[in-house]
Amino acid sequence: MHVLRVIFLCLGMLLFLLVGCTNQESIQNWELESLSLSYAEGFSVAKGDDFWVLTVSQAFPEAKESFRYLILEEGSKTSYAAKSFDAVIQLPVSEVLLTSTTHVPHLDYLQETDLLVGFPNLDLISSVPTRARIAKGLVKDLGNAPSANIELILEIAPDWMMVSTLGEDLSYLEILKKGGVPAVINGEYVEQHPLGRAEWIKFTGVLLGKWDDAVRVFEEIEQNYQETLALLTTQELAKPTVISGVMYKDIWYMPGADSWGARLLAEAGGAYLFKDQKGSGSSQLSYEVVLDRGQEAAYWIGAADFPNLQAMGEAEPRYRSFDAWKKGNIYTYTQKKGETGGLEYFELGYLRPDLIVKDLMMIFHPELFPGDTMYFYQKLDE
Amino acid sequence: MSSHSRHSLLMLGMSIACMILFVLNISFGSVAIPVGEIFGRLLGGSFSKSSWETIVMDYRIPKAITALLAGTALSIAGLQMQTFFRNPLAGPYVLGISSGAGLGVALLVLAGSIIGFSGYAVGVWATIIAASAGAVLVLLLMSLTAWKVRDSMTLLIVGLMFGSAVSALIAVLAFFADAEQLKMFTIWSMGSLGSTQSNQLAGFSIAIVLGLLPVLGMLKSYNAMLLGENYARSMGVNVNKLRWAMIMSTGVLAGSATAFCGPIAFIGIAVPHMARLLFRTSDHRILLPASALIGMGVLLICDTIAQLPGSAQTLPINAVTSLIGAPMVIWLIMRRNFSKEF
């Protein structure tokens, strides 16, 4: 019995090594040029002769496994081991599916809006060119369930589909693979550097065969971002105190210090009062703690979708105790709403941190932007 | 007509109904596929569109088979518990087994990061293992209780308490989870028949056969149990052995169904009542296959409704079973001689 077990174990290891070596070999034979990224940490791009390899190492928080995608250029002669990739995509592509509104601007900015043929819950989309396509009935609704409708996806059989693990049922990936639908995971929301999220446009760029365009778009955004931030160094400026978030029942949900939102507040020159709250998600704090520390905060950024200060005070009388409420220094990101009610901040915000940072600086230091108006944010009226 | 031939006829009718429901279930979905094409494929032909092949063979058929398996498992678990506890409201939820499975998944998805395991990365098997482990944990606790407590009513109450305590633990985990984790867990808790893949169906089937084994040899003892433990003892039934058989069987059946499909409410509690009403008997040799058949049929109907044929939208299966099951149970409670049946 014991001997048998040892034999099986050896055979198993041999098989494992053989499989491992075959895969290694097929990849090592390729000459790959690794293209460097400036801020994004969740994916990497490598270019071969007539193909690209995308590796997503942070598909979701604390991901241990990587996903690898092979993108073949038109007329590619590369022979490859398709099995060693999670999806193989052949360029050019003519139909794609998206599942997160944050990916919609990628198509717009790369001038490929017309490739979108399906999306779950169309009403969430605000992009004007995409809405025009929706109005013409060119984009199929994949349902507004937590996951997109698997049957419709298989029926559409797009050239690729971009998923985000946020709310996506990953068990469907296997069925999609069987059905020949390459599904690629976009993990942009794991990035905590504002420009890191924006840099994921390069990921989409590879999938569309538009790397150079994507690099150009990103560099413009990055330049805008840095130029806006540079204004902070032109003169001696005070850092106004800031709180953020909202309260549900007794709990105040405040962005963690390492979160994307908190970083933007800090970058824009705000003194975030809860920067000791470690974590990249939101922290749950009691009302007492927030009041104790934040009562005299100069600004309150990103309160819920209240129409005005009065409504906010009526909804939760305890909000009235804050100086920011008394002085009317509360700002929400609700200025731009799509035709069907989607908030543009949630759609475009990931790609355009330069706009967000400028808005925030305009709130903290209006003197830096005389006559300018905010893009996403607005001050709550009386 | 003798009751025997009536039962045979009904059983035959139910089997045919199940087959028809199975075909209906795989014929309807978000994408309209002509029934003729489906029959053609099942008889060895091929589809005129390649996407239909994946939709029917890799998605709809595994989903329909999952409905058959889960329907059987939950109904038979419910039937055994109702008889054993002599309580019409007993079901897999009551022993805390479904909650236990839920706790396993909640720990995996919601608290994974605390123990250094990413809840986001959960594969299907990880979820299944976590749910089964949770169910077995509660099962072990119940077994210990059963060893100490001899009275089935007390055991039932202890089961309810376990269920509440486990739900409270899940609530605490959910409260401190971040939005994404919470969303994943919420989706799981809505139940789903469609995420069981063909290669997992064998595992699911084996679990159900294992779960049925302890009960199959003891059907006569269950009949005796209906008149009370003391009566059953006087009839020579080994109540202790029966108790263990029931706990093992229910744990495996309800645990595996929850593991593969998420918690599915009301099938376990409502279907055995439907079987009793339809077959007008309390003989478990009839009730067991009858509950299995009705369970399959009901879950197939619920799933067909949940797919909202022709629409891009789908409903969570748990919502549909509850919407059908809740009025059913209410109606049963309102019936006059309801509790006398036990």
Side-chain angles (χ1 to χ4, degrees):
Chain A
M1 196 63 190
H2 192 66
V3 179
L4 263 180
R5 206 179 288 169
V6 173
I7 293 174
F8 273 123
L9 194 68
C10 291
L11 278 175
M13 281 173 73
L14 194 68
L15 193 70
F16 181 76
L17 282 173
L18 271 175
V19 173
C21 288
T22 335
N23 282 348
Q24 291 253 305
E25 207 169 48
S26 61
I27 294 159
Q28 272 169 6
N29 283 344
W30 292 353
E31 284 187 15
L32 285 167
E33 176 202 350
S34 180
L35 302 173
S36 68
L37 300 172
S38 316
Y39 302 90
E41 290 170 356
F43 77 102
S44 61
V45 187
K47 189 181 171 355
D49 225 6
D50 51 5
F51 65 91
W52 300 71
V53 175
L54 281 176
T55 308
V56 178
S57 53
Q58 288 288 311
F60 30 77
E62 295 156 55
K64 299 267 191 297
E65 53 172 339
S66 293
F67 294 85
R68 291 180 348 120
Y69 310 115
L70 176 68
I71 295 91
L72 300 170
E73 286 180 357
E74 197 170 357
S76 170
K77 292 189 177 62
T78 308
S79 59
Y80 56 86
K83 279 197 174 155
S84 54
F85 289 94
D86 292 288
V88 178
I89 290 157
Q90 176 68 59
L91 295 177
V93 293
S94 55
E95 289 187 329
V96 304
L97 296 184
L98 300 178
T99 55
S100 163
T101 52
T102 55
H103 308 154
V104 174
H106 287 195
L107 295 187
D108 292 347
Y109 277 67
L110 296 171
Q111 267 130 46
E112 294 288 9
T113 309
D114 289 352
L115 297 183
L116 185 69
V117 291
F119 189 87
N121 201 355
L122 296 175
D123 282 353
L124 292 176
I125 296 180
S126 308
S127 144
V128 176
T130 309
R131 286 242 64 93
R133 271 181 68 72
I134 295 169
K136 284 186 213 154
L138 297 170
V139 186
K140 242 189 182 159
D141 194 344
L142 301 180
N144 57 9
S147 301
N149 187 308
I150 193 92
E151 291 197 7
L152 287 177
I153 297 167
L154 290 167
E155 171 83 351
I156 294 170
D159 295 307
W160 54 254
M161 169 184 185
M162 193 176 276
V163 299
S164 146
T165 52
L166 191 60
E168 228 63 53
D169 192 342
L170 289 181
S171 59
Y172 284 152
L173 286 181
E174 205 53 42
I175 301 175
L176 290 175
K177 201 172 178 181
K178 264 190 184 167
V181 175
V184 293
I185 302 185
N186 179 321
E188 64 185 356
Y189 72 97
V190 186
E191 307 278 350
Q192 298 306 335
H193 193 293
L195 285 168
R197 286 189 185 179
E199 201 167 12
W200 276 76
I201 193 168
K202 294 181 183 171
F203 180 79
T204 314
V206 174
L207 295 170
L208 295 173
K210 293 196 125 181
W211 168 260
D212 293 336
D213 294 327
V215 169
R216 212 164 23 247
V217 169
F218 176 72
E219 281 173 356
E220 261 176 49
I221 292 166
E222 184 192 16
Q223 197 185 341
N224 266 342
Y225 188 89
Q226 304 296 11
E227 280 175 10
T228 312
L229 285 192
L231 294 173
L232 285 173
T233 57
T234 52
Q235 46 184 294
E236 193 76 19
L237 294 164
K239 284 192 168 188
T241 48
V242 188
I243 57 167
S244 182
V246 275
M247 189 159 61
Y248 292 106
K249 301 286 177 195
D250 284 348
I251 307 298
W252 197 299
Y253 292 84
M254 189 77 80
D258 309 319
S259 72
W260 179 75
R263 282 198 186 197
L264 280 161
L265 291 175
E267 293 264 88
Y272 182 45
L273 288 176
F274 291 86
K275 62 180 175 219
D276 58 331
Q277 296 295 319
K278 295 284 168 229
S280 56
S282 68
S283 305
Q284 289 101 320
L285 301 169
S286 73
Y287 172 75
E288 293 176 14
V289 171
V290 180
L291 185 70
D292 186 46
R293 202 185 299 176
Q295 187 169 27
E296 290 165 8
Y299 295 98
W300 180 345
I301 305 290
D305 192 5
F306 291 109
N308 54 48
L309 283 175
Q310 283 315 319
M312 193 172 169
E314 274 162 32
E316 177 48 84
R318 285 178 289 180
Y319 286 154
R320 297 171 197 252
S321 311
F322 289 86
D323 284 359
W325 189 88
K326 290 177 196 158
K327 292 177 185 161
N329 276 339
I330 300 180
Y331 291 81
T332 61
Y333 38 67
T334 52
Q335 194 192 131
K336 291 209 169 46
K337 277 203 173 115
E339 215 179 289
T340 41
L343 279 180
E344 200 176 321
Y345 176 84
F346 290 124
E347 178 167 316
L348 190 58
Y350 281 10
L351 182 62
R352 296 299 307 270
D354 55 325
L355 296 178
I356 300 178
V357 111
K358 189 177 168 195
D359 276 7
L360 294 174
M361 282 168 64
M362 232 180 271
I363 296 169
F364 301 151
H365 304 290
E367 68 275 16
L368 291 175
F369 306 91
D372 235 339
T373 48
M374 286 185 278
Y375 189 86
F376 292 119
Y377 280 86
Q378 64 182 355
K379 193 174 187 175
L380 273 193
D381 296 332
E382 286 287 315
Chain B
M1 196 175 357
S2 75
S3 72
H4 181 71
S5 51
R6 186 176 166 272
H7 287 158
S8 307
L9 261 180
L10 263 175
M11 211 69 89
L12 181 72
M14 302 277 328
S15 309
I16 294 170
C18 270
M19 280 188 251
I20 295 172
L21 286 170
F22 186 87
V23 175
L24 279 178
N25 185 269
I26 60 171
S27 307
F28 290 114
S30 306
V31 172
I33 301 174
V35 183
E37 289 250 4
I38 292 175
F39 271 109
R41 174 65 181 84
L42 293 181
L43 296 172
S46 56
F47 283 110
S48 56
K49 272 184 83 171
S50 64
S51 65
W52 292 354
E53 170 78 16
T54 319
I55 292 174
V56 174
M57 305 308 285
D58 293 326
Y59 180 64
R60 286 190 191 172
I61 290 184
K63 179 157 67 67
I65 295 174
T66 306
L68 298 181
L69 295 172
T72 306
L74 294 170
S75 316
I76 291 179
L79 174 71
Q80 290 182 69
M81 296 176 73
Q82 288 175 4
T83 302
F84 187 83
F85 293 121
R86 289 198 298 136
N87 188 317
L89 292 176
Y93 270 70
V94 175
L95 268 189
I97 288 165
S98 303
S99 314
L103 179 65
V105 175
L107 279 170
L108 179 75
V109 176
L110 304 178
S113 50
I114 300 169
I115 51 171
F117 181 84
S118 171
Y120 297 89
V122 291
V124 186
W125 286 110
T127 318
I128 291 166
I129 292 166
S132 305
V136 167
L137 177 78
V138 175
L139 191 70
L140 283 174
L141 283 172
M142 282 304 296
S143 310
L144 284 175
T145 318
W147 183 51
K148 281 265 179 205
V149 177
R150 298 283 153 181
D151 175 39
S152 53
M153 267 309 168
T154 315
L155 194 57
L156 181 69
I157 294 166
V158 173
L160 273 169
M161 292 304 113
F162 275 148
S164 305
V166 166
S167 304
L169 278 175
I170 295 175
V172 171
L173 286 172
F175 185 76
F176 288 106
D178 64 37
E180 294 85 17
Q181 293 171 320
L182 198 55
K183 191 166 179 179
M184 284 188 71
F185 183 72
T186 310
I187 293 170
W188 178 82
S189 66
M190 285 173 178
S192 151
L193 299 173
S195 45
T196 317
Q197 328 236 306
S198 16
N199 56 357
Q200 295 155 3
L201 286 174
F204 195 3
S205 313
I206 292 169
I208 286 173
V209 171
L210 288 177
L212 284 174
L213 286 180
V215 65
L216 287 177
M218 311 195 83
L219 291 176
K220 277 190 184 162
S221 309
Y222 275 104
N223 285 343
M225 266 308 275
L226 281 177
L227 293 167
E229 276 184 32
N230 288 334
Y231 175 82
R233 262 193 207 101
S234 72
M235 294 288 288
V237 171
N238 183 341
V239 175
N240 215 20
K241 195 175 152 199
L242 187 68
R243 175 185 284 131
W244 283 103
M246 190 278 298
I247 290 181
M248 290 310 291
S249 168
T250 314
V252 175
L253 290 175
S256 61
T258 314
F260 281 91
C261 312
I264 294 180
F266 281 106
I267 297 288
I269 193 167
V271 168
H273 292 303
M274 292 184 190
R276 281 187 206 99
L277 278 176
L278 212 66
F279 284 79
R280 281 188 234 135
T281 179
S282 51
D283 184 351
H284 284 74
R285 284 168 301 183
I286 306 287
L287 283 181
L288 186 109
S291 297
L293 282 172
I294 299 174
M296 292 180 196
V298 169
L299 207 49
L300 281 172
I301 294 173
C302 290
D303 181 58
T304 312
I305 297 171
Q307 298 305 311
L308 297 173
S311 134
Q313 320 292 345
T314 50
L315 298 174
I317 185 76
N318 216 352
V320 181
T321 54
S322 300
L323 282 174
I324 291 181
M328 168 82 199
V329 174
I330 293 169
W331 177 67
L332 284 165
I333 292 169
M334 302 301 248
R335 276 178 72 227
R336 266 211 313 212
N337 293 326
F338 177 64
S339 53
K340 285 191 181 161
E341 284 174 21
F342 287 86

